[in-house]
Amino acid sequence: MGNWLTRLDPENFVDRLLIIDGHAYAYRAFHAIRDLRAPDGQPTNAIYGFVKMLAKMRATIAPTHLIVVWDGGLSAERLAALPEYKAQRPEMPDGLKPQLDGIVGWLQAAGVASFCGEGVEADDYIACLAQRASGVAMTVVIASADKDFMQLVSPRVGLLNPNDKSETVWTDGQVRNKTGVEPSQIVDWLSLMGDNVDNIPGVPGVGPKTAADLLNRFGSVENLFARLDEVKSERLRAALRDSANAVQRNRDLVRLRDDLACEFSPAELVEKPADAGRLRELYRRWGFKGMLAALGEPQDGRQTILI
């Protein structure tokens, strides 16, 4: 933990905002824990896993500010540019759908901020929050495995990738090790090779290594196409020439929109006092006996919430 604190908190301590990709962690929790049910038979695996994951992230990051951001639908602009955008993604599992309201209800009871805007992709809102927070000298840690967020990495913004078992917060060094390019080149890197997860086709025959090699040589997509004759491989040169319009379109699809009209109030992202009574109700309903016991008994009207 000390290494990333040194990189992201050069003055040893600043306000630290943890932004959690809500749907990503709900899915992760759902698939990590199987067949956990409440006394009434309703599934609770995603809820239980999400609460435990959030507790672990709190311990790792020690945020002063915290928010969970949820997808509110696909961007109309991206769909207009590419109707097939994310079209291949399967429907949400039936067992997960009813648990999302439970997770949001738990966040409210626990005093944790969350956001979901109709037609607003979580990635864009997260980018907007990160831009606003880093602009007022806050350190930002984004918790997600989505590779799009690598474009946001900066001296003030790091990534907590749940797929990285070391629990290291990624800075530019980890991004370079993973991709072969700088964070500032991630949009061009993804635009060249495409993104199967989002159903964005790239240049035929161009994978991660070729895309990185091209960007390390030419610096950017603009320079690459301006100097296309310098590409030695005739096959690659032809593929790039034929895909020029698609690559430019991809850049608009891949680039996260940090210019949304997102309201940013740091005070609203400080965790509020938890509603112990409401948490007890939820834990009893879900059959979370360990979490219920950890609440203990309130003393003098005050309650320490342990999860």
Side-chain angles (χ1 to χ4, degrees):
M1 188 164 152
N3 179 53
W4 76 264
L5 282 174
T6 301
R7 293 294 308 278
L8 293 177
D9 293 355
E11 297 174 3
N12 297 322
F13 182 82
V14 293
D15 286 339
R16 187 177 305 133
L17 171 61
L18 173 61
I19 309 175
I20 297 171
D21 184 347
H23 276 95
Y25 275 85
Y27 269 91
R28 190 173 187 84
F30 179 78
H31 290 294
I33 301 174
R34 295 292 185 177
D35 200 29
L36 185 65
R37 294 183 178 274
D40 63 3
Q42 293 299 310
T44 56
N45 55 326
I47 299 171
Y48 184 85
F50 191 97
V51 173
K52 287 296 188 180
M53 288 177 182
L54 181 52
K56 187 175 182 179
M57 283 186 277
R58 278 172 167 157
T60 301
I61 304 302
T64 58
H65 300 70
L66 173 62
I67 185 170
V68 179
V69 180
W70 304 90
D71 268 319
L74 297 180
S75 161
E77 291 82 0
R78 290 190 178 98
L79 285 173
L82 182 66
E84 299 81 15
Y85 175 65
K86 294 187 178 181
Q88 89 293 0
R89 291 194 174 184
E91 290 290 322
M92 183 181 295
D94 290 337
L96 176 56
K97 286 181 181 179
Q99 296 189 67
L100 294 184
D101 287 342
I103 293 173
V104 172
W106 179 84
L107 290 170
Q108 292 171 343
V112 178
S114 65
F115 172 85
C116 182
E118 185 175 355
V120 178
E121 295 191 48
D123 294 8
D124 291 328
Y125 197 81
I126 289 172
C128 186
L129 287 177
Q131 190 272 340
R132 301 285 196 280
S134 60
V136 294
M138 295 180 75
T139 293
V140 180
V141 177
I142 299 169
S144 178
D146 190 334
K147 56 183 172 294
D148 288 346
F149 289 124
M150 291 189 290
Q151 67 187 268
L152 301 180
V153 169
S154 73
R156 286 285 184 191
V157 180
L159 301 181
L160 182 65
N161 185 340
N163 293 329
D164 183 354
K165 302 306 181 183
S166 72
E167 298 183 358
T168 298
V169 175
W170 287 21
T171 59
D172 54 351
Q174 284 81 12
V175 172
R176 282 195 303 271
N177 290 339
K178 177 68 174 179
T179 66
V181 299
E182 299 293 332
S184 61
Q185 297 173 303
I186 289 294
V187 171
D188 285 356
W189 183 70
L190 289 170
S191 298
L192 288 168
M193 71 180 201
D195 187 348
N196 290 333
V197 174
D198 290 346
N199 208 31
I200 300 174
V203 179
V206 173
K209 186 178 186 305
T210 300
D213 289 344
L214 288 169
L215 292 172
N216 283 324
R217 180 179 178 189
F218 295 99
S220 68
V221 160
E222 289 92 340
N223 289 341
L224 169 61
F225 283 101
R227 298 161 52 192
L228 198 56
D229 289 344
E230 297 178 31
V231 175
K232 295 180 180 179
S233 167
E234 182 178 346
R235 179 198 58 78
L236 178 57
R237 190 167 59 248
L240 287 166
R241 184 178 295 111
D242 292 342
S243 302
N245 290 336
V247 171
Q248 293 302 325
R249 175 206 62 201
N250 290 354
R251 296 181 80 211
D252 291 332
L253 294 171
V254 170
R255 181 178 289 107
L256 299 181
R257 292 169 169 80
D258 62 6
D259 57 352
L260 298 178
C262 64
E263 296 182 8
F264 177 67
S265 174
E268 294 298 317
L269 304 183
V270 176
E271 290 185 63
K272 308 299 186 293
D275 184 339
R278 179 58 177 156
L279 286 176
R280 284 191 179 88
E281 290 178 15
L282 293 174
Y283 293 162
R284 289 192 186 102
R285 180 196 305 168
W286 296 330
F288 293 172
K289 295 179 181 180
M291 294 182 189
L292 186 60
L295 283 175
E297 294 298 327
Q299 299 178 3
D300 300 326
R302 286 178 285 184
Q303 179 69 55
T304 299
I305 302 301
L306 302 174
I307 59 174

